Amino acid sequence: MIIFGGSAGETLAVRVSLLTGAKLGKVKRQRFPDGEQYLKIEEDIKGQEVVFIHPLGGRPDELIMEYMLTMDAFKSASPKTISVVIPYFAYARQDARFHPGEALSFHLVAKLLEQAGASKIYTIDVHLQRVPSLKEVFKIPAINLTAVPQIAEYINRVFQPKNPIIIGPDDESEQWAKVAAAKIKTDYAVLQKTRFSSTEVKVKVKAGEGVNVKGRDAIIIDDIISTGNTIVEAANLVRKAGARKIYVGCTHPVLSLNALPLMYSNGIEGVVGTDTFAGPISFVSVAPVIAEALKKK
Ligand code: R5P
């Protein structure tokens, strides 16, 4: 097995190569004077099992083009298989045509990744909301890994919450909230979110349900923190309901606009994310999660 990191996945690729003992492949990446990307694989990969680790965070359009060029270069060199690891799957949130005339981004990007020649795809805590399974967007084997147990373990060990309860801020977050709750052996509650725009949400307690947070530390778990508005809404709700301290964990700390100061200035005590989207709160690495999955293949 030989591992290559895309330009946003180099550190992660080094970590996975150390954990698996697999060789790290070299790639030459340059820009032509007109801004176009140039790419060359500098390894003999003929007959080899290639793994390409390529998160799509931060500059997704450019990274998708880099992915296409890298896959073309791989295919020209006759590897046995090409497994791609997309730790952060950009465009997954536009998983429906909410209004007539909109592009169906998730499905389109999935098709591009697959048709570029991948044999198998791994991703991590991809935003599965209206699309319930990756089988609906991929024909090749597609595996959705999770980093939620590692995030819950970090929060428990580092923040040391007292009598914790896990909070999912919206319906789709139940899939992550229940994993976190099982990891730290506690209960969870799921709130109800209404989204009005990409920056406006409202979170409330579900009709007929309470939220048992009085005197307890609340740990809000979600897949993505983008603007931070979902987290702040959920935090304000649980504080009003009597929560003591509030901690937050997510897999993909996208942190758009002023998300981090917004959360801290709203009284959140600690926030942690992973290196699927490397940044200031990427305290948990997904490298062991990827390495384990690759060892199983
Ligand atoms: C979508 O619903 C996701 O699960 C997250 O809740 C969402 O991406 C968070 O976005 P924001 O931080 O902008 O509220």
Side-chain angles (χ1 to χ4, degrees), residues 93 127 129 169-170 172 176 193 195 198 201 222-231:
R93 286 185 292 170
H127 185 77
Q129 187 176 357
D170 49 26
E172 63 273 18
W176 306 294
K193 177 170 86 181
R195 182 171 283 286
S198 54
V201 294
D222 208 352
D223 58 338
I224 299 171
I225 300 176
S226 180
T227 63
N229 289 324
T230 297
I231 297 297

Side-chain angles (χ1 to χ4, degrees), residues 260-278:
L260 206 49
L262 180 74
M263 288 187 284
Y264 286 127
S265 63
N266 274 276
I268 289 160
E269 301 268 340
V271 193
V272 60
T274 81
D275 55 356
T276 61
F277 200 114

